[in-house]
Amino acid sequence: HCLTATWMVSTSRMTASARELLETLSWFSGEPMPRDLIENARLKDGSALLARAELVQFHFLDPAHNVDGDIMHGMVMQITRESLSQQRIPEVRYGARQVLHEQVDRCTREASHDATIERSSWDMLLPHVLAFLRRLEGTFDAENCEGIESATVRWLFRSGRWSVADALLASIS
């Protein structure tokens, strides 16, 4: 497949931090990702800012229009996840959980200061939380979701999105 071959060549030329960020972001949604979610990611080998710039240079991330975020094409996400060895999946999944957990904490802290910021932050973050939780494929447990699901469910109820909150709660139980 041409896209897979292009992906392989491009990732072979990337730094370790850019590959790590690519693998982490592949667990999220194809919706615009909040820029601060990407730029605040803690990477083992380098700066998330530089890794983001590299992913943009390789066209694996594209700046979103009208929002402060980036978009990763669904096929890039799928190829990236499928390229992971079985041994690497738990480590990468844990890294994605950490990134989401820190962003959920930031959104929760913002809520205490400004409800408008909270709504826009959560609106951008929610598709990524839900995509991550869906992609856990039966490994939905406390280790993978600690702190993410409870804050998300609380926000969904507060914002009147009861059906989404109920579905999320049903998947947790």
Side-chain angles (χ1 to χ4, degrees):
H1 202 254
C2 290
L3 191 55
T4 303
T6 301
W7 180 93
M8 289 173 66
V9 169
S10 297
T11 56
S12 72
R13 295 178 179 165
M14 286 180 185
T15 61
S17 60
R19 281 191 305 277
E20 181 183 357
L21 184 60
L22 174 66
E23 291 171 351
T24 298
L25 299 179
S26 74
W27 287 86
F28 301 155
S29 167
E31 297 292 317
M33 295 177 203
R35 184 90 25 89
D36 60 338
L37 175 139
I38 298 168
E39 293 176 351
N40 290 317
R42 294 184 191 175
L43 304 177
K44 287 184 277 183
D45 298 317
S47 159
L49 282 171
L50 294 175
R52 179 198 166 270
E54 196 171 340
L55 291 178
V56 168
Q57 178 185 358
F58 278 100
H59 302 285
F60 279 35
L61 272 181
D62 292 313
H65 300 289
N66 302 323
V67 293
D68 189 26
D70 295 316
I71 297 173
M72 184 179 290
H73 191 279
M75 287 299 296
V76 170
M77 294 174 141
Q78 181 179 343
I79 292 169
T80 302
R81 284 190 314 274
E82 290 173 355
S83 74
L84 294 170
S85 69
Q86 289 296 355
Q87 293 80 18
R88 290 245 324 118
I89 288 174
E91 175 187 347
V92 174
R93 187 173 53 210
Y94 180 79
R97 187 199 74 78
Q98 287 296 103
V99 169
L100 274 181
H101 191 285
E102 290 169 9
Q103 189 71 12
V104 164
D105 283 349
R106 271 193 290 284
C107 287
T108 303
R109 282 193 307 273
E110 288 174 357
S112 63
H113 302 311
D114 186 337
T116 307
I117 293 174
E118 177 204 16
R119 174 124 185 129
S120 64
S121 297
W122 272 107
D123 281 346
M124 263 187 99
L125 183 59
L126 184 60
H128 305 291
V129 170
L130 297 177
F132 174 75
L133 296 175
R134 263 194 318 275
R135 288 190 171 119
L136 292 178
E137 299 176 10
T139 60
F140 196 78
D141 58 34
E143 180 184 341
N144 289 320
C145 305
E146 179 183 343
I148 295 173
E149 77 286 347
S150 57
T152 303
V153 168
R154 278 194 306 275
W155 180 78
L156 288 168
F157 277 121
R158 277 198 323 268
S159 65
R161 297 179 182 182
W162 299 290
S163 60
V164 179
D166 285 341
L168 182 54
L169 283 171
S171 67
I172 293 170
S173 341

